[in-house]
Amino acid sequence: MQFFTIMRIVGILVMSFSFTMLVPAFVALIYDDGGGRAFLEAFLLNFTVGAVLWWFCRKHKNELRSREGFLIVVLFWVVLGSLGAVPFILLEKPDLNFSESVFESFSGLTTTGATVITGLDTLPKAMLFYRQFLQWLGGMGIIVLAIAIIPMIGLGKLYRAEMPGPLKDQKMRPRFAETSKMLWQIYLTLTVLCAFAFWLAGMTPFDAISHSFATISIGGFSTHDASIGYFNSSAINYITVAFLLISSCNFGLHFALFDQLKDRNNKRKQSIFSRLYWQDYEFRSFVFIQLALFVTCVVVLSFYNYFDDPKTTFEQALFQSVSISTTAGFTTTDFSSWSSFLPILLVLASFIGGCAGSTGGGLKVIRVLLLYLQANREIHRFVHPNTVKPIKLGKHVFSERIEEGIWAFFAAYLFVFLVCWLAVIACGMEPFDGFNAVVASLNNLGPALGSVSSNFTQVPDAAKWVLTIAMVCGRLEVFTLLVILSPVFWKD
């Protein structure tokens, strides 16, 4: 294990991350409402930690193997989440203890959106911006950003460990740095378009930029206690829904679209735009799931006359079904009080989440689709035991290795969920509240039902640490974290 090489790379990454503290410090300078000094102190502390790690290991530049890549990813998220808590600790407003500060930092970085802070409308703009900025950085993955801007430190091995879903095995470009740059160009373009749309719909420039960060990253943090409901705007609600759906799609599809549109010799750009996504089975399944949830919400809310008019029913059903199922967690109304089984349905839908290779959480649509196909095959085998029926989508046949991996991932996900659920109950939470807290954390959802329907202030500090681990497991898709806990990982 190349420990010194690992420490050198982590040091460089931490130094790079420390410069993000200067952005909220600049925001504090603009609005002059406090917080600037705390972020400058945080910058100096984080930069010093990174510089020390780099200095003592600067001569170690050995080539990384895959397992070192996994260890760097886990170490980086743990170190980054811990150092990201420094501003929360230093600032007097909000007044958070150590556990709450770490929880808030990891919640932002993992794009979970669970918060222990109340009174957001009165907080300094620098703090509000920092929370949103953390989510935006964590959305695509700071490791991938580092691959794009610091290709000379040899981080190609990290790509497979950090990227979610099929992107880790998809060679969209021969060089990792080029792939990462393209992904971040797409990510930044969507963020700018989202912010511009919010501004045109009536948000202030500060709110528009802040909420575009949380929307494209599918994070769910807001600068107001009432979340998106603060604006009371149908236009803003529909804009949020549109960009949440875009961000929930596999970024590999966005990559292919941008790549084809950049090809000036391609004469079929319109057909590519209209057919590229629909040819993808995961995308079609995702659309079907969203439509099914939306229609179910409309029918049930209309049956119980929960809202006064059909227009409000349509809008609220669309917004909340998309927001919760994609694991964003924005709210415009208290969906936990909705009629019948809808609240539980939406929370359980977060287990599916977005498409693989998106900024959403959950199991991912492609895995759920493959689980369904495998279950359907096993039923067929019961009737026809001697039939050979491979799992395939269209013309693509999945190998037994992929099928085994899907079930292994599902089992690991369920195992982590049950362990965390028992742990938070042991920490003093009620079983129902603990269930919802773990669902919200492991699926990177944010709000759920019960005592965590709006914030996590009532969660015991010990349980916050358990939920923080669940957030990291969800963000790294379980296996990346579990693999370093395996004894075989440490054997040469």
Side-chain angles (χ1 to χ4, degrees):
M1 188 71 70
Q2 306 292 339
F3 288 107
F4 289 106
T5 301
I6 292 172
M7 289 299 100
R8 179 183 69 87
I9 293 175
V10 171
I12 293 175
L13 294 174
V14 170
M15 283 192 291
S16 301
F17 170 72
S18 68
F19 285 97
T20 64
M21 303 290 176
L22 298 179
V23 182
F26 181 70
V27 173
L29 180 64
I30 294 175
Y31 288 94
D32 193 26
D33 58 355
R37 179 176 178 178
F39 283 105
L40 289 176
E41 292 174 351
F43 161 72
L44 292 175
L45 175 62
N46 290 349
F47 186 84
T48 300
V49 170
V52 169
L53 289 174
W54 170 79
W55 175 259
F56 285 104
C57 306
R58 66 189 185 280
K59 296 181 180 179
H60 297 270
K61 300 180 180 181
N62 298 321
E63 184 178 353
L64 293 176
R65 294 170 295 180
S66 295
R67 63 176 183 172
E68 274 109 2
F70 282 104
L71 183 58
I72 290 175
V73 169
V74 174
L75 279 177
F76 184 62
W77 279 90
V78 171
V79 172
L80 186 62
S82 302
L83 294 179
V86 173
F88 295 109
I89 297 173
L90 295 178
L91 282 168
E92 297 180 358
K93 188 177 181 181
D95 185 16
L96 303 180
N97 62 32
F98 180 74
S99 297
E100 291 171 334
S101 299
V102 172
F103 180 89
E104 193 77 13
S105 174
F106 275 96
S107 180
L109 191 65
T110 59
T111 72
T112 301
T115 184
V116 294
I117 300 176
T118 57
L120 294 173
D121 300 83
T122 62
L123 289 180
K125 290 289 192 298
M127 170 54 68
L128 296 175
F129 182 88
Y130 177 63
R131 294 169 73 245
Q132 310 298 112
F133 197 41
L134 272 180
Q135 291 200 323
W136 188 76
L137 290 174
M140 181 65 73
I142 300 177
I143 301 278
V144 179
L145 175 62
I147 299 172
I149 64 175
I150 324 175
M152 72 288 297
I153 63 176
L155 292 179
K157 295 289 186 181
L158 304 190
Y159 189 81
R160 179 171 170 264
E162 208 288 324
M163 284 302 296
L167 283 184
K168 61 182 66 178
D169 298 314
Q170 185 174 341
K171 295 182 179 180
M172 295 177 293
R173 279 285 189 270
R175 293 177 58 87
F176 288 118
E178 186 179 351
T179 299
S180 302
K181 288 176 183 177
M182 184 64 171
L183 289 172
W184 273 96
Q185 287 174 11
I186 298 170
Y187 195 60
L188 181 60
T189 300
L190 290 175
T191 304
V192 172
L193 291 175
C194 183
F196 184 68
F198 278 145
W199 176 69
L200 289 179
M203 283 190 184
T204 65
F206 177 81
D207 278 339
I209 295 173
S210 298
H211 284 87
S212 70
F213 287 164
T215 301
I216 300 304
S217 67
I218 312 186
F221 273 161
S222 177
T223 57
H224 303 282
D225 287 321
S227 190
I228 298 295
Y230 169 86
F231 303 100
N232 193 27
S233 168
S234 296
I236 290 176
N237 291 346
Y238 288 124
I239 291 170
T240 304
V241 167
F243 280 97
L244 285 179
L245 292 174
I246 292 173
S247 298
S248 297
C249 296
N250 189 333
F251 268 68
L253 295 177
H254 300 329
F255 185 101
L257 175 64
F258 273 62
D259 197 39
Q260 293 293 338
L261 292 177
K262 288 173 63 178
D263 184 3
R264 297 181 179 180
N265 296 323
N266 195 325
K267 298 180 180 180
R268 300 178 60 195
K269 293 182 179 181
Q270 294 299 323
S271 62
I272 289 173
F273 182 82
S274 62
R275 293 168 49 195
L276 176 65
Y277 290 85
W278 198 246
Q279 289 177 345
D280 184 78
Y281 283 90
E282 183 185 27
F283 176 80
R284 290 183 358 216
S285 300
F286 172 70
V287 171
F288 173 79
I289 292 170
Q290 293 300 318
L291 285 175
L293 287 172
F294 166 63
V295 170
T296 302
C297 289
V298 169
V299 170
V300 174
L301 291 174
S302 299
F303 180 81
Y304 285 94
N305 294 316
Y306 189 85
F307 293 105
D308 296 332
D309 60 273
K311 179 182 177 182
T312 303
T313 300
F314 179 93
E315 180 183 330
Q316 295 301 324
L318 178 63
F319 184 92
Q320 289 304 156
S321 63
V322 171
S323 178
I324 301 302
S325 64
T326 60
T327 73
F330 285 126
T331 57
T332 54
T333 183
D334 183 13
F335 80 95
S336 64
S337 65
W338 279 10
S339 305
S340 190
F341 59 88
L342 288 184
I344 295 179
L345 173 66
L346 293 181
V347 170
L348 292 180
S350 69
F351 273 101
I352 300 176
C355 297
S358 72
T359 53
L363 290 166
K364 301 299 189 296
V365 174
I366 187 63
R367 291 194 180 101
V368 175
L369 177 59
L370 290 177
L371 287 173
Y372 166 76
L373 293 175
Q374 285 178 279
N376 185 60
R377 182 182 66 174
E378 294 308 312
I379 293 174
H380 186 85
R381 282 178 171 176
F382 274 115
V383 180
H384 304 285
N386 298 322
T387 300
V388 177
K389 186 179 180 181
I391 300 294
K392 62 180 182 179
L393 290 175
K395 297 180 180 180
H396 184 76
V397 178
F398 289 90
S399 66
E400 291 291 333
R401 177 67 186 88
I402 293 178
E403 298 170 25
E404 293 170 359
I406 295 295
W407 279 108
F409 177 86
F410 179 73
Y413 206 85
L414 182 60
F415 172 77
V416 171
F417 174 81
L418 292 176
V419 169
C420 290
W421 186 18
L422 294 174
V424 295
I425 293 175
C427 293
M429 295 192 72
E430 294 295 324
F432 180 75
D433 292 336
F435 175 87
N436 282 279
V438 175
V439 169
S441 301
L442 185 60
N443 293 339
N444 302 133
L445 169 60
L449 305 177
S451 64
V452 294
S453 60
S454 57
N455 57 64
F456 283 60
T457 55
Q458 298 181 30
V459 175
D461 282 352
K464 289 187 178 77
W465 287 97
V466 176
L467 297 177
T468 298
I469 295 173
M471 292 178 197
V472 177
C473 279
R475 179 62 183 87
L476 296 179
E477 300 204 330
V478 180
F479 268 137
T480 304
L481 186 60
L482 293 183
V483 71
I484 70 167
L485 301 178
S486 172
V488 71
F489 176 82
W490 300 98
K491 293 180 181 179
D492 291 326

